[in-house]
Amino acid sequence: MRTYAIGDIHGQLSELERVHDLIERDRVACGDRDAPAVHIGDLCDRGTATAGVIDYLMQGLASGAPWVVLTGNHDRMMTAFLEPTPRTPDRLLAGLHWLDERLGGRETLASYGVDTDQPIETLHADAVARVPVRHVDFLNDLPVTYERGECFFCHAGVRPGVPLADQVEDDLVWIREPFLSSTDDHGKLIVHGHTPADVATHYGNRLNIDSGAGYFRPMSAVVIEGREAWLLTEGGRAVLPRG
């Protein structure tokens, strides 16, 4: 059972198009047109093309592409800001706001033509007016998890010791520890992003495919067969480092 997966996107449309091209090459090489391609979340923020990323994904899904798009914590931050009264998610570190330069919300709004130098009250009203409702609805409707074969896909990870069926959304889109240091067998291979690594890395019980597109490093796409996975490169499949 073959599945493709793409790491955090963070408004990097050209990188997203590049890794989809790598997936298409692998599809041709192995003759599999139907295996799903799972996007692990964080469509928005930091990069300059969030609006284009969301359009690209919506158009692909509408055309029947075998894609799955999951939500990430940055996607939740974006929709929380666009509520009638802007809201900051509870799991965001104290003192941080989506418009903080470390999070990239201003770059997201700029991709919709919002002037991000205006006072917060008028900025919020301008953002609500300019971000298409169809984009907000798309983000709000994204699933949190996807399961296929021996793999469980989510944005951030899972809480060790809790059955996969009982995981809660806050952990699935926000968790780092104790998940990252856990050596537990979680029942399935957990395929996630959220915590950037230098390169996509297979840890045995989990597979981290966030290679830092949010910091302008190359995005990663992998192909998974069973619990084994390979990085897709211009030269074909490459062995993933083990953690």
Side-chain angles (χ1 to χ4, degrees), residues 1-6 19-20 22-39 60-61 64-69 146-149 153 222-226 232 237:
M1 183 174 289
R2 181 177 297 108
T3 311
Y4 297 97
I6 294 170
V19 295
H20 267 287
L22 296 178
I23 289 173
E24 287 306 306
R25 295 186 201 181
D26 194 79
R27 289 188 189 280
V28 171
C30 65
D32 189 340
R33 306 300 308 175
D34 300 322
V38 183
H39 305 74
L61 290 166
W67 297 353
V68 175
V69 183
Y146 177 72
E147 294 187 55
R148 177 173 164 85
F153 299 83
V222 299
V223 56
I224 307 165
E225 296 172 356
L232 298 180
R237 297 186 182 191

Side-chain angles (χ1 to χ4, degrees), residues 67-100:
W67 297 353
V68 175
V69 183
L70 301 181
T71 192
N73 62 310
H74 280 263
D75 310 312
R76 290 297 191 238
M77 284 189 274
M78 178 178 173
T79 56
F81 179 81
L82 292 169
E83 291 177 5
T85 299
R87 178 175 56 83
T88 298
D90 292 340
R91 291 286 288 266
L92 195 58
L93 291 175
L96 272 183
H97 188 279
W98 184 58
L99 299 178
D100 188 286

Side-chain angles (χ1 to χ4, degrees), residues 82-127:
L82 292 169
E83 291 177 5
T85 299
R87 178 175 56 83
T88 298
D90 292 340
R91 291 286 288 266
L92 195 58
L93 291 175
L96 272 183
H97 188 279
W98 184 58
L99 299 178
D100 188 286
E101 63 180 8
R102 289 169 286 181
L103 296 181
R106 291 181 185 271
E107 288 81 357
T108 289
L109 293 181
S111 76
Y112 290 96
V114 176
D115 176 4
T116 61
D117 290 329
Q118 32 184 340
I120 186 67
E121 295 81 5
T122 52
L123 188 155
H124 175 259
D126 194 17

Side-chain angles (χ1 to χ4, degrees), residues 185 199 218 230:
D185 183 341
V199 293
W230 296 263

Side-chain angles (χ1 to χ4, degrees), residues 9 21 25 30 48 53 64-65 92 108 147 153 156-157 163 166 178 186 196 229 239:
I9 299 167
D21 181 63
R25 295 186 201 181
C30 65
T48 61
V53 164
L92 195 58
T108 289
E147 294 187 55
F153 299 83
D166 296 332
H186 303 295
V239 175

Side-chain angles (χ1 to χ4, degrees), residues 5 15-16 78 96 111 177 188 231:
E15 275 295 289
L16 180 59
M78 178 178 173
L96 272 183
S111 76
E177 294 296 352
K188 293 191 174 187
L231 182 68

Side-chain angles (χ1 to χ4, degrees), residues 42-233:
D42 277 4
L43 315 186
C44 64
D45 296 351
R46 300 192 178 122
T48 61
T50 288
V53 164
I54 295 175
D55 272 336
Y56 178 89
L57 293 172
M58 291 180 68
Q59 290 165 11
L61 290 166
S63 71
W67 297 353
V68 175
V69 183
L70 301 181
T71 192
N73 62 310
H74 280 263
D75 310 312
R76 290 297 191 238
M77 284 189 274
M78 178 178 173
T79 56
F81 179 81
L82 292 169
E83 291 177 5
T85 299
R87 178 175 56 83
T88 298
D90 292 340
R91 291 286 288 266
L92 195 58
L93 291 175
L96 272 183
H97 188 279
W98 184 58
L99 299 178
D100 188 286
E101 63 180 8
R102 289 169 286 181
L103 296 181
R106 291 181 185 271
E107 288 81 357
T108 289
L109 293 181
S111 76
Y112 290 96
V114 176
D115 176 4
T116 61
D117 290 329
Q118 32 184 340
I120 186 67
E121 295 81 5
T122 52
L123 188 155
H124 175 259
D126 194 17
V128 170
R130 289 178 180 269
V131 178
V133 172
R134 69 181 186 279
H135 280 203
V136 178
D137 290 344
F138 176 73
L139 292 174
N140 278 325
D141 291 342
L142 292 178
V144 181
T145 66
Y146 177 72
E147 294 187 55
R148 177 173 164 85
E150 297 180 56
C151 296
F152 181 93
F153 299 83
C154 60
H155 175 65
V158 300
R159 183 154 303 271
V162 176
L164 296 180
D166 296 332
Q167 297 286 331
V168 299
E169 179 172 331
D170 266 7
D171 284 336
L172 293 164
V173 302
W174 285 96
I175 199 169
R176 286 197 168 93
E177 294 296 352
F179 170 66
L180 296 176
S181 58
S182 173
T183 58
D184 291 358
D185 183 341
H186 303 295
K188 293 191 174 187
L189 177 68
I190 310 301
V191 184
H192 70 96
H194 184 57
T195 302
D198 290 338
V199 293
T201 303
H202 199 311
Y203 294 86
N205 63 344
R206 64 182 179 91
L207 170 58
N208 184 359
I209 59 174
D210 179 4
S211 53
Y215 300 97
F216 308 99
R217 302 201 297 264
M219 195 177 299
S220 289
V222 299
V223 56
I224 307 165
E225 296 172 356
R227 291 176 70 111
E228 294 300 313
W230 296 263
L231 182 68
L232 298 180
T233 74

